[in-house]
Amino acid sequence: MERSIISASAPAGRGTDNLRSANLSRILTLLHRSGPLSRADLTRLTGFNRSTVGALATDLAAMGLAYETDPPAGRVGRPSPLVHPNERVAAVVVHPDVDAVTVGLVGLGGRVHRRVRHDTVSPPSVDETVSITRAVLAGMAPDLAAMDRIAGVGVAVPGLTRTSDGQVLLAPHLGWRNEPLAAPLAQALALPVFAGNDATLGSVAETLFGAAVDTENTVYLNGSASGIGGGIIVAGTPLRGADGYAGELGHTQVNSAGASCHCGRRGCLETEVNLARLLDALNLDRADQDTLDAAMAEPRNDSVNAEVDRQLDQLAVALTNFVNIFNPDAIVLGGFLGTLFAANPERLTGAVAAEAVAGLGERVQLRRAALRSELLLVGAAELAFAPVLAAPHPA
């Protein structure tokens, strides 16, 4: 299934050159999002004739964006070479959070080559994020040297971020307000930098490569140390809102008598369903996704189970509202929300099925995000890949 989730403007021009660029874009985008495809598959999916597909595959290989291998042995019919996206065309990805800055390297096709988490003692400033990113990349020099091309840098920010210029309008848990982020990173790294909201990018990643590849209408929720954010995919397209900030689902009220939230309200989803409370129950100071999953896989005592069930019940209130409002095919839960769901899936599924109107809760599928700890990195990479996919060109 082809989707237009993140796009860049096509190059100016007319006639044959513009048509060729559009055709190259379509082939490369298919390879990026579907993985290796035979020339016969590409012919079927695009409607182009075989000679056109062959010429386009050859052009992409000459640009260093794709390569071909012999078809698998034993296939019936005329052999057709497999065309692969070049996974050594990569994006640097960055995810600042309240307790760490994670830096990674992601290749075309969503392949994560490297991921480094740099723990911090307090929420990093923009300057600290830039410094940490530069230092981590220095340590990743051999990995970077092994790539054929670095397309740019994608940053997943836990806050309201203007994608047009990478300005962070508000990231309350980081203490950022009206902070330029893309510009200082670009200057420090000498690469183009693109930034977006982390939950929105997570929804893009799961839609293209993960648990929502087969759905057109999806609500995605990501839970991290910074709180809970969301993304809504409607008919295959992200819901952005009038100012581009749709998806602040973490500020849905689930408990009118709950804890105060930094937004000024009480009982928001992200104050009641909270990673810090879960870590307290587990006697952990901090944990990345993999560490949290491992801790929750161990036998749990009554206090941990009680906290898990309390949070699941509050999460069910929010999910029921989202089912009633958006009528999605699926709700995908990422970050620590996926860990919570996996701890007692029947409790959450049963509550949503029972409480949503008109039987909608029985039809919606609750799914854990498939990309797990790589989720936000893969999503952020899409920002850097968008210009290359829109207008393929040699390095």
Side-chain angles (χ1 to χ4, degrees):
M1 181 186 299
E2 289 187 71
R3 297 173 186 244
S4 177
I5 300 295
I6 293 181
S7 61
S9 299
R14 296 183 181 181
T16 304
D17 288 344
N18 201 40
L19 177 61
R20 174 178 173 274
S21 181
N23 291 345
L24 287 168
S25 172
R26 188 169 183 195
I27 294 289
L28 183 60
T29 300
L30 274 171
L31 295 174
H32 172 57
R33 295 175 180 175
S34 301
L37 294 167
S38 69
R39 287 192 180 187
D41 290 332
L42 290 169
T43 299
R44 174 178 54 82
L45 291 168
T46 62
F48 301 156
N49 61 45
R50 288 167 56 185
S51 62
T52 297
V53 166
L56 293 170
T58 299
D59 287 348
L60 289 171
M63 293 176 182
L65 296 171
Y67 62 93
E68 291 188 318
T69 60
D70 292 334
R75 294 192 67 169
V76 178
R78 182 176 177 179
S80 178
L82 278 179
V83 188
H84 303 249
N86 184 359
E87 64 276 1
R88 291 193 299 275
V89 174
V92 171
V93 290
V94 183
H95 175 226
D97 211 336
V98 298
D99 57 352
V101 176
T102 301
V103 180
L105 193 61
V106 179
L108 281 177
R111 177 178 173 181
V112 177
H113 294 286
R114 186 78 189 277
R115 174 169 58 100
V116 175
R117 175 185 165 100
H118 181 96
D119 288 336
T120 59
V121 296
S122 60
S125 67
V126 168
D127 287 344
E128 288 168 337
T129 298
V130 172
S131 296
I132 290 168
T133 300
R134 186 165 46 194
V136 171
L137 288 177
M140 291 170 57
D143 303 278
L144 293 168
M147 298 298 107
D148 292 340
R149 185 193 307 189
I150 301 298
V153 181
V155 189
V157 182
L160 301 178
T161 305
R162 195 165 58 207
T163 56
S164 60
D165 61 1
Q167 180 93 358
V168 180
L169 301 188
L170 179 64
H173 297 283
L174 294 175
W176 298 0
R177 182 184 292 273
N178 294 321
E179 291 274 8
L181 175 62
L185 260 180
Q187 183 175 9
L189 304 180
L191 288 167
V193 176
F194 311 88
N197 174 262
D198 60 350
T200 300
L201 296 174
S203 70
V204 168
E206 285 296 322
T207 300
L208 295 178
F209 301 107
V213 294
D214 59 345
T215 66
E216 286 289 302
N217 299 279
T218 308
V219 171
Y220 169 78
L221 283 179
N222 184 68
S224 73
S226 290
I228 295 175
I232 305 102
I233 306 296
V234 179
T237 302
L239 180 65
R240 302 200 184 279
D243 297 307
Y245 304 131
E248 285 298 310
L249 303 181
H251 294 288
T252 301
Q253 189 180 63
V254 296
N255 180 6
S256 60
S260 297
C261 180
H262 65 83
C263 74
R265 306 175 71 199
R266 282 191 169 275
C268 287
L269 175 61
E270 70 172 39
T271 62
E272 300 300 309
V273 180
N274 186 276
L275 177 59
R277 293 191 186 191
L278 185 59
L279 293 177
D280 284 344
L282 291 165
N283 291 317
L284 293 174
D285 292 329
R286 62 177 66 204
D288 63 12
Q289 181 71 66
D290 296 334
T291 303
L292 180 63
D293 286 344
M296 290 290 287
E298 297 292 327
R300 300 190 297 269
N301 60 37
D302 290 344
S303 64
V304 173
N305 285 329
E307 179 61 19
V308 167
D309 288 347
R310 185 197 68 78
Q311 294 204 26
L312 285 172
D313 290 344
Q314 299 290 350
L315 181 59
V317 174
L319 298 192
T320 299
N321 287 333
F322 303 152
V323 170
N324 292 342
I325 295 167
F326 300 112
N327 184 204
D329 303 307
I331 297 177
V332 178
L333 301 170
F336 83 89
L337 298 181
T339 307
L340 274 176
F341 178 47
N344 194 344
E346 294 81 10
R347 188 180 188 96
L348 186 61
T349 301
V352 174
E355 295 171 11
V357 300
L360 298 181
E362 296 177 354
R363 294 196 291 275
V364 69
Q365 297 184 48
L366 304 188
R367 302 174 179 175
R368 185 175 187 183
L371 299 177
R372 306 290 176 89
S373 57
E374 298 181 345
L375 174 69
L376 298 182
L377 304 185
V378 173
E382 288 301 300
L383 292 171
F385 287 142
V388 177
L389 295 174
H393 56 275

